[in-house]
């Protein structure tokens, strides 16, 4: 008689939109076949009353949730928490999230052929500083990308602008981060990290902007209006995406595993662009916790393998 398969309970606490996109029937069914039950957590009820859980998977903000999770972990030390709220917090600030890139070291083979880093950027806390570029230029020149300082996954945190001149600054609301816009061939590379698994895919991005074009464009452009840029059409962007060469896999893997170690996080993605001024230089421009994994090929298998690996290690400890 075959021994029964050990079953594990993973409680998940996700905002409705994240729950809808991530907790697909295909993921639930595959996880169940491999002995894992995905159980929704009601964040309006005490977490201690909803267990026991072998693992808690979450992407929630707020001190109440953070304290509740901390108390639960203290009372249930055998329960895995993916990931620590304190570690996730670092990615909620667009300055601290990229500071971590400076802590990475590539292996010698990679460093000889490619380089990586982040764009020049500066944080602006008040309108007086914003409207006086002499106070913040630090090598930045137009165009710049304006991003909210807080990156908590809310709709507000995704509202960004491409600013072409001083007039465009008047539409911005500090605190914000101004980041140099680097021409990158209209293609961005999104790198998904799930534990030790790394997957890089390419997506359409903002088109390149020449110095001549900057002079003829309006003051600023929100990212929802990318299609309004001159010479931006589906045919040209499709060609750019198709022809774009993927970054060297060893470089992407080095950066991914380096970020995983530095952030102590298991679930994140980061955006990379290739600086067309220096073809073998790559810039990390954003890091996001618990991204839209359903857009990643075979995400159900990747996540289920990850769950099994984490829970398997937990059993051995």
């Amino acid at each position: 008689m075959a021994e029964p398969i050990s079953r594990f309970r993973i409680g998940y606490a996700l905002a409705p939109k994240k729950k809808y996109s991530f907790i697909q029937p295909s993921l639930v069914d595959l996880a169940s076949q491999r002995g894992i039950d995905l159980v929704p957590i009601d964040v309006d009820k005490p977490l201690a009353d909803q267990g026991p859980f072998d693992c808690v998977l979450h992407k929630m903000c707020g001190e109440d949730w953070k304290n509740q999770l901390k108390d639960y972990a203290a009372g249930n030390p055998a329960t895995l928490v993916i990931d620590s709220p304190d570690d996730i917090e670092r990615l909620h600030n667009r300055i601290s999230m990229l500071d971590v890139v400076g802590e990475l070291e590539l292996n010698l083979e990679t460093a000889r052929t490619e380089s990586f880093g982040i764009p020049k950027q500066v944080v602006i806390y008040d309108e007086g500083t914003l409207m006086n570029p002499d106070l913040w230029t630090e090598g930045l020149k137009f165009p710049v990308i304006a991003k909210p300082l807080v990156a908590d996954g809310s709709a507000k945190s995704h509202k960004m602008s491409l600013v072409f001149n001083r007039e465009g600054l008047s539409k911005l609301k500090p605190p914000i981060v101004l980041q140099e816009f680097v021409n990158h061939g209209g293609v961005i590379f999104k790198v998904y990290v799930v534990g030790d698994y790394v997957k890089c895919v390419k997506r359409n991005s903002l088109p390149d902007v020449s110095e001549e074009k900057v002079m003829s464009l309006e003051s600023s452009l929100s990212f929802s209006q990318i299609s309004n840029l001159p010479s931006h059409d589906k045919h040209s962007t499709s060609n750019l995406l198709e022809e774009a060469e993927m970054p060297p896999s060893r470089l992407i893997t080095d950066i991914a595993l380096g970020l995983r170690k530095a952030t102590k996080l298991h679930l994140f993605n980061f955006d990379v662009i290739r600086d067309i001024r220096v073809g073998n230089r790559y810039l990390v421009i954003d890091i996001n916790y618990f991204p839209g994994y359903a857009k990643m090929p075979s995400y159900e298998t990747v996540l289920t393998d990850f769950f099994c690996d984490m829970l398997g290690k937990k059993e051995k400890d």
Side-chain angles (χ1 to χ4, degrees):
M1 181 176 176
E3 291 187 13
I5 299 174
S6 297
R7 297 204 70 82
F8 297 96
R9 283 168 51 90
I10 296 182
Y12 61 85
L14 304 171
K17 186 177 179 181
K18 172 62 71 174
K19 177 180 174 182
Y20 177 79
S21 65
F22 182 73
I23 306 295
Q24 297 287 329
S26 53
L27 174 64
V28 175
D29 290 346
L30 181 59
S32 180
Q33 290 170 25
R34 297 182 62 182
I36 297 171
D37 297 319
L38 295 173
V39 183
I41 290 173
D42 186 340
V43 295
D44 293 323
K45 296 179 180 178
L47 185 55
D49 295 345
Q50 300 179 65
F53 299 114
D54 296 287
C55 174
V56 174
L57 184 72
H58 70 106
K59 187 179 183 180
M60 300 296 295
C61 295
E63 285 302 311
D64 287 346
W65 168 253
K66 187 176 177 179
N67 291 334
Q68 193 174 170
L69 188 58
K70 188 175 181 179
D71 290 343
Y72 184 84
N76 300 270
T79 300
L80 291 173
V81 175
I82 303 175
D83 279 305
S84 161
D86 290 336
D87 294 331
I88 295 171
E89 194 75 25
R90 186 172 190 176
L91 298 191
H92 288 172
N93 179 297
R94 283 199 164 90
I95 292 295
S96 63
M97 79 161 60
L98 292 186
D99 282 347
V100 72
V101 178
E103 300 172 15
L104 307 186
E105 293 183 7
L106 295 188
N107 65 50
L108 293 177
E109 181 186 351
T110 300
R112 277 198 295 265
T113 52
E114 292 95 20
S115 64
F116 76 101
I118 63 173
K120 296 174 185 174
Q121 59 181 17
V122 63
V123 61
I124 305 291
Y125 292 102
D126 61 84
E127 292 190 10
T129 303
L130 174 66
M131 297 312 296
N132 185 355
D134 293 336
L135 298 178
W136 56 258
T137 50
E138 295 187 21
L140 286 177
K141 63 178 183 178
F142 293 107
V144 294
I145 294 178
K147 304 179 178 183
L149 177 61
V150 176
D152 58 4
S154 64
K156 183 180 179 181
S157 70
H158 289 297
K159 290 185 177 180
M160 306 181 193
S161 299
L162 185 57
V163 182
F164 301 107
N165 50 46
R166 293 192 180 207
E167 183 184 342
L169 298 175
S170 62
K171 301 178 181 179
L172 306 178
K173 300 291 184 185
I176 56 172
V177 172
L178 296 180
Q179 190 179 81
E180 71 171 323
F181 176 75
V182 176
N183 284 331
H184 52 282
V187 175
I188 192 169
F189 303 98
K190 288 192 168 288
V191 185
Y192 294 92
V193 180
V194 183
D196 292 330
Y197 177 87
V198 179
K199 179 67 176 179
C200 181
V201 298
K202 50 186 177 180
R203 297 281 186 266
N204 288 321
S205 181
L206 293 164
D208 293 343
V209 180
S210 66
E211 289 188 22
E212 296 76 19
K213 192 181 290 184
V214 171
M215 303 300 293
S216 64
L217 292 170
E218 296 181 7
S219 58
S220 65
L221 196 67
S222 72
F223 279 26
S224 61
Q225 299 171 303
I226 292 175
S227 59
N228 294 342
L229 276 176
S231 75
H232 186 85
D233 60 70
K234 290 183 179 179
H235 179 70
S236 63
T237 54
S238 176
N239 285 344
L240 286 172
L241 191 64
E242 188 175 328
E243 295 170 3
E245 180 182 349
M246 294 291 282
S249 59
R250 69 182 184 282
L251 172 72
I252 292 300
T253 300
D254 276 356
I255 295 174
L257 299 184
L259 286 175
R260 194 164 109 56
K261 183 178 180 181
T263 62
K264 302 177 185 177
L265 299 174
H266 295 84
L267 302 174
F268 63 94
N269 79 344
F270 58 99
D271 295 340
V272 177
I273 59 174
R274 179 189 288 114
D275 187 343
I276 65 169
R277 299 169 299 185
V278 187
N280 62 347
R281 179 162 176 76
Y282 296 86
L283 302 174
V284 178
I285 60 172
D286 220 348
I287 308 174
N288 304 288
Y289 184 68
F290 205 145
Y293 282 117
K295 299 175 185 176
M296 183 179 72
S298 303
Y299 98 100
E300 302 94 337
T301 302
V302 173
L303 268 297
T304 302
D305 285 348
F306 167 69
F307 295 150
C308 289
D309 182 52
M310 294 294 289
L311 291 168
K313 288 178 181 176
K314 171 180 174 289
E315 268 208 321
K316 291 177 183 178
D317 291 343

